[in-house]
Amino acid sequence: MLLEASAPFKAFKVDLQYTRLLAEMPASLHAPARGFIGEYLRADAQPVHGDLNSRNVLVAANGVSVIDFEQGHFGEGLYDVAYLLSEYVIRDLRAGTDPEASIHSAWDAYCGACAAPVDSSAQQRFRVHTAFQTLYRLAGPSRTVWTGHLDDAAGQAVRRWSLGALAQGLQ
């Protein structure tokens, strides 16, 4: 019942954060992007927070809490990690730093936290999720919240990185 109940909202989230971004991408990426999107819509192995970002992680002396679960659905945990990581990718690009160190660190932490071994295609999916989520923060409806502070050069760096990572990951 939970899987069925989460499916419509998951479809809405994926349309908003992935499908609508096709307009930002070269036409040559549309077919592989649609394939990736379809695969994610069929994924239902793990619960996903759906809005895991720095504003929904509360850190206190006695521990860490995560709030705001109304966007939850079933998919793959890579979605949440990529959504949070996109903030760090933007931070790195704004500072003129290659985000690869942040990406590798997040990947290593994710793999270390997984109870089961991570399959070989997961890292590629992780990178594609991260590229989609980073572009979403730049071009999506809440862009002023997440990237409104960027000057034109930093915004273009985020766009170039996202589109380059999508082109590489969707091959």
Side-chain angles (χ1 to χ4, degrees), residues 8 10 23-24 26 38-39 62 73 77 100 118 120 125 138 140 151:
K10 178 183 181 180
E24 303 288 329
E39 287 175 19
N62 61 344
H73 59 270
E100 282 303 311
V118 180
S120 60
R125 290 192 318 275
L138 183 69
D151 61 21

Side-chain angles (χ1 to χ4, degrees), residues 72-119:
H73 59 270
F74 286 88
E76 58 183 345
L78 296 170
Y79 178 99
D80 278 340
V81 179
Y83 194 56
L84 184 59
L85 176 61
S86 66
E87 293 182 48
Y88 292 90
V89 170
I90 291 166
R91 177 207 63 193
D92 291 347
L93 292 168
R94 180 178 183 225
T97 303
D98 184 348
E100 282 303 311
S102 295
I103 294 167
H104 285 292
S105 178
W107 176 251
D108 290 345
Y110 176 77
C111 290
C114 289
V118 180
D119 69 59

Side-chain angles (χ1 to χ4, degrees), residues 5 17 40 63 69-70 84 89 93 104 106 130 133 135 162 165 168-169:
Q17 295 179 327
Y40 186 70
F69 284 85
E70 76 267 3
L84 184 59
V89 170
L93 292 168
H104 285 292
T130 302
Q133 294 299 344
L135 184 60
S162 299
Q168 185 175 16

Side-chain angles (χ1 to χ4, degrees), residues 31-64:
R34 287 185 194 284
F36 179 85
I37 292 165
E39 287 175 19
Y40 186 70
L41 286 170
R42 289 185 295 278
D44 62 9
Q46 300 168 331
V48 174
H49 180 279
D51 192 22
L52 190 63
N53 66 70
S54 61
R55 295 174 180 202
N56 290 333
V57 178
L58 306 177
V59 180
N62 61 344
V64 176

